[in-house]
Amino acid sequence: MRVFNWNILFSGDYKKQITFIKKFDPDIITLQEVSQHFTNPGGNGNDVYAFFQENLPGYSSVYAPMTQHTSPLGTGWLGNAIFSKTPITSHTVHFLDNHPDGWGSDRNLLLATTNIAGKALTVATTHLWVQRPDEPDSKEKTEETKKFLAYLPTMSPCILTGDFNAAPQNNVVRECEKRFKNADPKHAPTFSCFPVYLRGLAINSLEYTFDYLFYTPEFVLVDFKILPGTTSDHTPIIAELNWR
């Protein structure tokens, strides 16, 4: 089973991203910063989720709008999405916080249930509140982490992915590594693929680990790769997992 995760960047080149994703033929795709109601170059205009649905035939999918965002491209919704080759039978959205600065309003954890090889599976993905990776957990990050972790203990078997906006030393990552297996325990960097400023911090290259793929002990990790990223500030990651 191949699991692919990517923060696609709300102004990314979605046509190139679709082509790239298809090369790996993943069984499960989890995406962050999937936008709606922006005018986006490279996509189909206002509904990027619909564009991915249209161009990933054969996948069942769910979408959870996360935060309303204003940029030079306009005002629209960002969200998390899960695509699965096997039918998604149910899904749940847990809202985590509502920060007034616009960076974190309505962050959520999206859970979807599917069945692979005759076994039920929960797939979860998230895009957590952003803070500088060179700083300890903020009050907002601490509050969000408590809510986030409260939804996780009963989910097994489970694959958990996302853009955590957290470095390996932050509490949310440490706690997930206690409850799950990390597909990349060496914490290779996934951010940023090009120079950015993040809350005043200049990041000029792949310096920080923000993107994670966790799994429960029902699985065996066969392979994990950080893939080259050119159409987003985050690298895609992919893991191949087998049932025990």
Side-chain angles (χ1 to χ4, degrees):
M1 172 182 16
R2 285 183 294 277
V3 183
F4 183 104
N5 180 76
W6 201 1
N7 178 327
I8 60 173
L9 185 63
F10 73 92
S11 57
D13 188 327
Y14 308 116
K15 291 181 180 178
K16 288 184 178 179
Q17 290 171 348
I18 288 286
T19 300
F20 185 82
I21 291 170
K22 286 181 175 180
K23 291 179 181 179
F24 300 94
D25 192 28
D27 299 287
I28 294 169
I29 304 164
T30 56
L31 303 174
Q32 299 83 45
E33 290 199 25
V34 181
S35 61
Q36 290 183 313
H37 310 306
F38 287 100
T39 303
N40 289 294
N44 71 336
N46 288 334
D47 195 335
V48 173
Y49 175 55
F51 179 77
F52 272 76
Q53 284 183 305
E54 178 184 348
N55 287 276
L56 291 171
Y59 284 87
S60 176
S61 65
V62 290
Y63 176 69
M66 181 192 69
T67 182
Q68 192 173 46
H69 183 84
T70 299
S71 79
L73 298 176
T75 298
W77 295 97
L78 302 181
N80 303 312
I82 297 173
F83 291 79
S84 172
K85 282 188 176 181
T86 54
I88 293 174
T89 56
S90 65
H91 74 280
T92 305
V93 181
H94 295 290
F95 290 98
L96 303 173
D97 46 42
N98 191 2
H99 298 302
D101 65 357
W103 285 75
S105 59
D106 298 331
R107 299 273 170 167
N108 66 56
L109 172 67
L110 172 62
L111 292 78
T113 303
T114 189
N115 190 294
I116 294 181
K119 299 178 181 180
L121 171 65
T122 297
V123 180
T125 197
T126 194
H127 185 188
L128 298 180
W129 188 77
V130 63
Q131 68 169 46
R132 287 175 56 139
D134 61 342
E135 295 181 347
D137 285 354
S138 64
K139 177 183 176 182
E140 292 85 356
K141 195 73 170 181
T142 299
E143 293 174 353
E144 179 189 66
T145 296
K146 289 179 181 178
K147 292 180 181 179
F148 175 75
L149 294 173
Y151 296 120
L152 298 182
T154 60
M155 299 190 308
S156 186
C158 176
I159 295 169
L160 169 65
T161 73
D163 172 7
F164 281 50
N165 273 318
Q169 71 270 16
N170 290 117
N171 189 51
V172 65
V173 178
R174 296 201 310 267
E175 288 297 320
C176 283
E177 289 182 329
K178 293 177 183 177
R179 305 182 189 200
F180 297 86
K181 293 181 179 295
N182 189 342
D184 183 24
K186 294 182 179 180
H187 304 133
T190 63
F191 184 86
S192 171
C193 296
F194 46 77
V196 298
Y197 278 92
L198 185 67
R199 291 196 178 274
L201 175 66
I203 302 175
N204 296 310
S205 61
L206 287 175
E207 300 178 45
Y208 294 99
T209 307
F210 279 178
D211 306 272
Y212 298 89
L213 195 156
F214 298 101
Y215 58 97
T216 49
E218 290 86 355
F219 298 100
V220 176
L221 180 66
V222 178
D223 191 27
F224 175 83
K225 288 186 175 70
I226 294 176
L227 303 171
T230 58
T231 62
S232 172
D233 47 354
H234 293 256
T235 62
I237 58 177
I238 189 168
E240 185 169 352
L241 301 169
N242 285 342
W243 292 99
R244 287 191 181 274

